Amino acid sequence: MTIPVLRDGSVAIRPIRIRDAKTLERELLDNRAWLRKWEATNPGGPVGFDAKASIRSLLAHSRSGHGVPFIIEVDGELAGQLNVSGMSYGSLSSASIGYWVAERFAGRDVTPTAVALATDHVFFGLGLHRMEICIRPENAPSLRVVEKLGFRYEGLRRRFIHINGDWRDHFCFALTVEEIPEGVLQRWRDGRVPATAGRVPDADRTAAERPLRLG
C-alpha cells in the first residue's frame, strides 16, 4: 500500500519511516508526563518500548492492508503520530484512528487537521465506508477534536481498552462517507459542522463517572 503525504497549511501527515525511531523516542520521553495517562498498556504487565520494532510492526500492518501509519508534522517538525488501524474491507469497510501530539503543539488545531486528512484519505483514497474514534471520558482535548470535526457519538464502551495500567471506559464516535460527501476537512473549514456534533448525552457522562460493578 502506498501511503501519501497529505497536507493542509502548516500541518502534514506522512508515512512513518524506520529512521523516525530516534526522534519518536525523544518526543515520547520528553512528553512522558503529558502522554502517559492516555497510553495503551499491556494487561499482562509492563513491556519495554522499542521504537524501531514498533515502526516495523506498523509497516507490516500497512503492507498487509490492515493499517496506515502516519507521522504528524508541523512546518516539517515531527509533532506526533497518527495510526489508522483495524482496517477491514467488504461488507464492513471500516477502520479506526488513534493519535498523539507533543504538548507544545496542543491547542493549535494540529490534531483535528491530521484526523481530517487521514479520514478523508481513508474514505476517498482507499474507499472505506466508516471511521471510528474511541476516547476516554476524561480526555477533554480529544473530545473537542471529534466535536470540531463532527464525528457522531455512538455510545459508551465499558472497560474497553487497557490504558495506563487498567481497563478504561471509552466514548465512541464515528462517521460514514455518506454523511460528509464534501470531506471532513472541507466541511470543518467551511464552518458547516452541526453545532450538536460529537456531544455525549448526560446519562452516558454520568455512567462513565461510576465504576462498572463486577461480579
Side-chain angles (χ1 to χ4, degrees), residues 12-214:
I13 57 175
R14 62 155 174 87
I16 198 169
R17 303 174 296 224
I18 294 292
R19 62 180 178 270
D20 291 318
K22 286 187 177 180
T23 307
L24 271 177
E25 284 181 345
R26 184 172 62 250
E27 287 294 338
L28 289 168
L29 285 172
D30 290 347
N31 287 271
R32 184 67 176 153
W34 166 252
L35 296 173
R36 184 173 184 173
K37 59 185 174 181
W38 315 122
E39 286 181 352
T41 46
N42 187 336
V47 294
F49 177 73
D50 183 328
K52 285 187 177 179
S54 175
I55 293 170
R56 288 192 183 101
S57 177
L58 291 170
L59 292 175
H61 276 82
S62 176
R63 287 192 295 271
S64 67
H66 293 114
V68 188
F70 288 105
I71 287 294
I72 303 171
E73 291 184 336
V74 176
D75 291 324
E77 179 183 0
L78 192 149
Q81 199 173 347
L82 182 150
N83 295 318
V84 179
S85 61
M87 290 173 56
S88 60
Y89 302 86
S91 58
L92 192 57
S93 292
S94 71
S96 62
I97 278 184
Y99 50 81
W100 63 267
V101 293
E103 185 174 12
R104 66 186 181 280
F105 294 103
R108 295 169 53 180
D109 279 342
V110 172
T111 303
T113 301
V115 170
L117 287 167
T119 303
D120 284 346
H121 173 62
V122 167
F123 284 165
F124 306 112
L126 301 181
L128 296 190
H129 164 75
R130 179 178 178 275
M131 181 66 82
E132 179 177 277
I133 299 178
C134 295
I135 301 169
R136 284 185 57 185
E138 306 89 346
N139 194 341
S142 275
L143 292 175
R144 183 66 184 127
V145 169
V146 292
E147 287 179 4
K148 286 181 176 182
L149 299 182
F151 276 72
R152 171 177 34 79
Y153 180 67
E154 290 198 332
L156 169 63
R157 295 187 184 175
R158 304 308 299 258
R159 297 176 62 80
F160 180 51
I161 304 175
H162 204 269
I163 302 286
N164 193 23
D166 203 356
W167 294 104
R168 310 290 183 177
D169 294 348
H170 281 68
F171 292 144
C172 289
F173 306 81
L175 274 177
T176 62
V177 67
E178 295 86 1
E179 295 173 74
I180 39 88
E182 72 275 47
V184 180
L185 183 64
Q186 191 63 53
R187 184 176 70 166
W188 176 40
R189 293 302 190 208
D190 289 348
R192 290 186 288 106
V193 174
T196 58
R199 290 189 182 173
V200 178
D202 290 342
D204 280 4
R205 288 188 179 275
T206 300
E209 293 171 357
R210 299 171 181 164
L212 182 65
R213 290 186 179 181
L214 302 176

